[in-house]
Amino acid sequence: MDITSSKFEISNSDVKKCPATCYHEYAFIGRSNVGKSSLINMLTRHKGLAMTSSTPGKTTLINHFLINGSWYIVDLPGYGYAQRGKEQQRQIRRIIEEYILNRQQMTCLFVLVDSRHDPQKIDIEFMDWLGENGVPFAIVFTKLDKMSAAAAKIVTGKYLDKLKETWEELPPVFYTSSHDGRGRAQLLDYIDELNQLPTMTTEELSDINSTDNT
């Protein structure tokens, strides 16, 4: 699969205001400054589609991008940005949790991890929370161009070994670089595979919308 069209559709802080379609959605999340916007731009080959910044914590809303007119990439706020105030941290957590737990159109959540760092407690805890709630997700290591292949293998191996301490089976894992396009084909092939899964019917969507409006 390749991406032939991509466009920004809507930003909001309320999952009930997300697009009222039956399309598959693939959400991307990770710690602040993990390279989420750069990865989205690399996947779509649309520079500037997702706004990138050298300042962490800029994404504070649910951002929907319509891809090929038939499915969505969703850019979620990053977690773990300590310089946000406590009230904003609570608000961001609410946005993230409400989308992940209540958005039935979300087919897979891609959890981005900076490949340069040893296992981070906040990432492990977040993935454990996903597992506890039965959320389908995949791990995406980013910034593989920042180190040698040998070093990357060691660091990413530590992450996977850490997860194996509590996980009987690991989720799908991808290795990427927004700088050189590494992992693009593998990620898009996986999304293409998931796109073959059945979507909600219009009747099911109507029932959800009716419940949201009561």
Side-chain angles (χ1 to χ4, degrees):
M1 180 187 68
D2 203 358
I3 291 177
T4 57
S5 67
S6 56
K7 66 176 183 177
F8 168 78
E9 184 157 308
I10 190 173
S11 289
N12 66 82
S13 60
D14 186 349
V15 68
K16 295 179 182 178
K17 296 179 180 178
C18 290
T21 73
C22 299
Y23 296 160
H24 288 292
E25 293 184 6
Y26 303 95
F28 290 73
I29 195 170
R31 285 184 294 112
S32 297
N33 206 32
V34 75
K36 182 161 45 72
S37 296
S38 295
L39 180 68
I40 291 172
N41 293 340
M42 182 268 281
L43 289 176
T44 59
R45 288 180 175 160
H46 187 159
K47 185 178 181 180
L49 180 67
M51 298 301 293
T52 60
S53 173
S54 59
T55 304
K58 281 295 185 181
T59 303
T60 58
L61 299 171
I62 305 167
N63 301 295
H64 274 75
F65 302 98
L66 182 62
I67 309 299
N68 291 349
S70 60
W71 53 276
Y72 286 104
I73 283 177
V74 182
D75 184 7
L76 294 177
Y79 55 80
Y81 184 49
Q83 293 188 32
R84 289 191 180 116
K86 289 185 178 180
E87 180 57 35
Q88 189 179 28
Q89 287 184 39
R90 283 193 292 268
Q91 180 181 2
I92 294 297
R93 181 172 180 175
R94 175 188 60 78
I95 292 171
I96 291 171
E97 291 186 355
E98 288 186 355
Y99 175 87
I100 291 174
L101 297 179
N102 299 318
R103 185 63 172 172
Q104 296 191 32
Q105 291 92 328
M106 190 190 76
T107 305
C108 184
L109 178 68
F110 290 99
V111 180
L112 277 57
V113 174
D114 191 328
S115 63
R116 300 173 297 175
H117 304 307
D118 286 339
Q120 302 292 302
K121 181 180 179 182
I122 190 170
D123 289 331
I124 302 298
E125 289 179 346
F126 181 69
M127 293 181 207
D128 286 344
W129 177 79
L130 295 175
E132 290 166 3
N133 286 279
V135 177
F137 75 98
I139 300 170
V140 181
F141 287 107
T142 63
K143 305 184 181 182
L144 266 295
D145 60 285
K146 302 294 185 181
M147 64 183 76
S148 68
K153 185 176 181 179
I154 292 172
V155 177
T156 57
K158 286 182 180 179
Y159 245 108
L160 300 182
D161 287 342
K162 183 65 176 178
L163 287 173
K164 288 175 183 176
E165 293 177 6
T166 53
W167 288 76
E168 292 183 4
E169 183 178 351
L170 293 180
V173 180
F174 299 91
Y175 303 86
T176 70
S177 165
S178 300
H179 178 73
D180 60 25
R182 197 177 319 178
R184 181 177 186 271
Q186 291 80 5
L187 267 174
L188 291 182
D189 284 348
Y190 183 62
I191 290 173
D192 190 37
E193 179 182 330
L194 294 178
N195 274 338
Q196 310 311 312
L197 296 173
T199 58
M200 287 191 302
T201 65
T202 54
E203 290 78 10
E204 289 170 333
L205 179 62
S206 179
D207 289 342
I208 292 173
N209 291 336
S210 297
T211 301
D212 288 344
N213 292 327
T214 58

